[in-house]
Structures are given as C-alpha cells and as structure tokens.
Amino acid sequence: MTTALLRTVILYFLIMIGLRLMGKRQIGELEPGELVLTMLLSDLAAVPMQDFGIPLLAGILPILMLLSLSLLISQLSLKSLWFRDLVCGKPAVIIDHGRICQDAMRRSRLTTDELLEELRIQGYSDFSAIKYAVLENSGSLSVLPWSTEQPPTATQLKLQVEDSCFLPLVLINDGRVLRKNLEKTGNDAAWLQLLLKDRGFTSPRQVFLLTLSGPNHITCIRKEHS
C-alpha cells in the first residue's frame, strides 16, 4: 500500500511539473502538439500506477523524454517560423471583410453551424457585422467586428476620462489576513482592525473576502456560517 501511494505521488508531481512547463493554458487552448503530449503523459503515468511489476523508472524515463522533446520543440518554434508553422499550423482567416472564406472553412473542416455557434457565443448573430474572423491554432475563433459595430471609446468621443483602474488586492481571504498584500497597500494591522470595526466586525475570521482596489474602493463580504 505504501509503495502504491509513493509511486502515485511521484508520478503525480512529475506530471504536474510537466504541465507547468507547458505554460498556463486551458484544455481548449492547447495546440495539437501540446494536446498529444498531455494524452501521452497521462497514459505513461497510468501504467506504473496500476502495475507494480513494472519498475517506476519505466514510467519516469519516457515522461522525462517527452517533456525534454516538448521543450526542444518549443525552443525550435521560437527560433524558426517555418518549424512553428510545420508543428503548430497557421491561423486561418474564416471571414474577410464580411465575406465567408469557404475554402478556408473546408481546409479547417469548420462547418457553417460551428461558425454560427462561435459567433453567437461572442454576441454576433449576423456575420455581415464582422470584418475579420480568424480560426486560431488552439481552435478558438477570434472575431474583429467593423468599426461601426464596436462601442465608441472615450478617445473616439474626445472625452477626458480619469484612469481609475486599479488591480484589486485581497487583504482577507476566508478569514485569513494576507499580510504581504496589506504591506503593499502601505497600511498595517491597526489600520485593518479599525477598518473592520467601522464595518461591524470584531475579528478578520468573520470576513469572507476583503479587497482594496483604489484609495477608497473597499469591498467587504461577511462570512456565512454553515
């Protein structure tokens, strides 16, 4: 039992490290080579977990070899556009100036229903409102509407708008004070205690979430006790 647990933990962390090396992506955003690598890693890890007669190295070595190959391909892709196009493919323009490129759809094996579904997901019911639609290597559809279909910006309206966008910092997360974030705001524990007192709290453990985004923009949510 201990051997099985130890083998599982080793292979789990090895796979996790490998996926971290691939970058922060969701499954739907994986390129073909990355998806194949993910499937192979899971299969290679499953065999030593189930069959104790197979040495652990018989699973670890192929995994390390695949991860090394993946890193090599990534480096070659960075240095050679030709190699990247060969391995990852090229984005396909599906809609060009409001015109559906039927040849590109056939090459990408994209049906009309799938195209219309992707457009509806992004809030467009009529393809004529779209200037460009590009099918990316990950399989997602990037939609660029005509300028007349886009909401006007403050620059286009010639408005002077104060930039009040701040990255919110979480000060309390499920009753726990994040002291590093508190220090980033230039405040201390006494300031936080006074802030909580003004909002009717006697302890940070009563707070589910407290964020600070801007000098005076504070969001405080009370913890619900089950």
Side-chain angles (χ1 to χ4, degrees), residues 161-177:
V161 180
E162 182 181 355
D163 187 4
S164 58
C165 181
F166 294 90
L167 181 65
L169 283 175
V170 178
L171 303 184
I172 298 179
N173 183 355
D174 198 9
R176 297 182 295 271
V177 178

Side-chain angles (χ1 to χ4, degrees), residues 177 179 182 185-198 201 204:
V177 178
R179 304 201 178 277
L182 183 61
T185 65
N187 298 299
D188 54 14
W191 172 86
L192 180 61
Q193 190 65 36
L194 182 61
L195 178 69
L196 295 177
K197 184 178 179 181
D198 290 341
F201 297 99

Side-chain angles (χ1 to χ4, degrees), residues 20 58 72-73 110 134 141 145 193 195 200 213 220:
R20 287 285 293 169
L72 177 61
I73 291 176
L110 180 69
V134 181
L141 191 70
Q193 190 65 36
L195 178 69
S213 54
C220 188

Side-chain angles (χ1 to χ4, degrees), residues 59-127:
I60 292 179
L61 290 179
I63 290 175
L64 292 177
M65 184 179 298
L66 281 177
L67 292 176
S68 301
L69 180 62
S70 176
L71 291 176
L72 177 61
I73 291 176
S74 298
Q75 291 299 318
L76 291 176
S77 299
L78 290 174
K79 296 181 179 298
S80 172
L81 293 177
W82 173 84
F83 185 80
R84 176 172 176 78
D85 291 341
L86 177 65
V87 174
C88 303
K90 291 182 178 180
V93 179
I94 303 300
I95 297 179
D96 188 358
H97 286 81
R99 180 183 65 86
I100 295 180
C101 302
Q102 299 180 30
D103 289 340
M105 288 185 63
R106 280 192 288 268
R107 288 194 300 269
S108 304
R109 292 179 292 280
L110 180 69
T111 66
T112 305
D113 291 337
E114 291 172 336
L115 175 60
L116 293 176
E117 178 184 354
E118 288 291 334
L119 296 181
R120 288 195 299 270
I121 290 174
Q122 301 198 36
Y124 299 96
S125 58
D126 187 2
F127 67 85

